[in-house]
Amino acid sequence: MLTPEGTIKSQTPMDVRMQKEMSRSADMMALAMIIVGAIGISVFIALEVLSAVFEKFDYEVMFFILLFAVLLGLGIGVKVLIRKAIKNVTALPKINEYEFFADSFTIDQTVNGENVAHVKIFNSQVIKSKESKDYIALFVGGAVYPVLKDGLSEGELNILRSNFKLPIKGAATVVCPPAGTEEKITTADKSVEEPEEPFGEFKE
């Protein structure tokens, strides 16, 4: 939502939908590790059985069995952690309320309707940003702040994309003022002139 002061406000429930979206890459990596680990163990166990039939013990085969077993274990471990994180957000509902300025943004986190944290982050502190179908993810140190795109217009999303160096879709027409100012909305492209009053020639 664009405020009269030109800032952008947005709310993001820290729910199961958000957790699944933020964990998507890790979940896919864990699944790949489980599949590769299981196939690798199966193949090298079969080779070990053949070695035993021919009364030949192959240490290299045992090494690869252990290697793929570790890979399988890591994949299962990541899956367990993801499921635990999803369970945690279900048990303790949180909402992040964002307000975006030109050079920074603030986060107010509420738990069960009570404000528990207020954080101010400068745009320069964001080391990476990613956009998915439903979220813009802002990475600050070891933390990630997901911004739900629902409720934001394409123009407002373009402002956020511009602020965090993401590809623009169309043209951004407004910019956020710096934090702590009462600056009103301004045209992003200074070369664009304000439209003339329609039917002005008929005015007395």
Side-chain angles (χ1 to χ4, degrees):
M1 178 184 69
L2 195 64
T3 68
E5 291 76 27
T7 64
I8 295 175
K9 287 188 176 181
S10 174
Q11 286 191 352
T12 299
M14 309 298 281
D15 53 12
V16 173
R17 175 188 178 190
M18 178 280 303
Q19 189 62 51
K20 287 183 176 180
E21 180 71 27
M22 294 299 104
S23 304
R24 189 181 302 277
S25 297
D27 195 44
M28 293 177 63
M29 180 185 69
L31 180 60
M33 292 168 67
I34 291 172
I35 293 173
V36 172
I39 292 174
I41 288 174
S42 301
V43 169
F44 282 99
I45 284 178
L47 291 175
E48 184 62 24
V49 170
L50 289 175
S51 298
V53 170
F54 292 102
E55 298 181 351
K56 180 183 177 182
F57 188 80
D58 195 334
Y59 287 99
E60 290 184 358
V61 172
M62 285 300 298
F63 169 77
F64 281 107
I65 290 175
L66 290 174
L67 180 64
F68 282 107
V70 170
L71 192 64
L72 176 63
L74 287 174
I76 293 173
V78 172
K79 279 280 191 180
V80 170
L81 289 175
I82 291 172
R83 295 295 174 267
K84 185 177 180 180
I86 290 174
K87 185 178 180 180
N88 287 341
V89 299
T90 304
L92 192 64
K94 300 177 183 178
I95 296 178
N96 280 1
E97 298 181 355
Y98 299 91
E99 184 168 11
F100 294 94
F101 302 87
D103 56 353
S104 62
F105 61 98
T106 59
I107 307 164
D108 285 282
Q109 187 171 89
T110 59
V111 178
N112 293 326
E114 181 180 352
N115 188 291
V116 297
H118 176 81
V119 180
K120 179 178 180 179
I121 298 174
F122 288 95
N123 295 351
S124 58
Q125 293 177 262
V126 177
I127 58 176
K128 183 175 69 171
S129 57
K130 292 175 63 177
E131 182 175 1
S132 65
K133 178 182 177 182
D134 298 318
Y135 294 89
I136 291 177
L138 306 175
F139 296 81
V140 181
V144 56
Y145 297 98
V147 181
L148 183 63
K149 292 162 62 175
D150 292 356
L152 295 175
S153 69
E154 197 62 30
E156 291 165 350
L157 289 172
N158 273 337
I159 295 171
L160 300 186
R161 292 174 183 132
S162 177
N163 284 356
F164 302 109
K165 301 177 182 179
L166 291 167
I168 300 294
K169 297 180 181 179
T173 56
V174 293
V175 294
C176 293
T181 70
E182 297 298 325
E183 182 181 340
K184 300 298 182 180
I185 303 171
T186 59
T187 303
D189 184 354
K190 299 300 183 180
S191 65
V192 178
E193 296 181 357
E194 293 294 328
E196 296 181 358
E197 177 70 16
F199 309 112
E201 58 184 309
F202 297 106
K203 289 186 176 182
E204 296 182 358

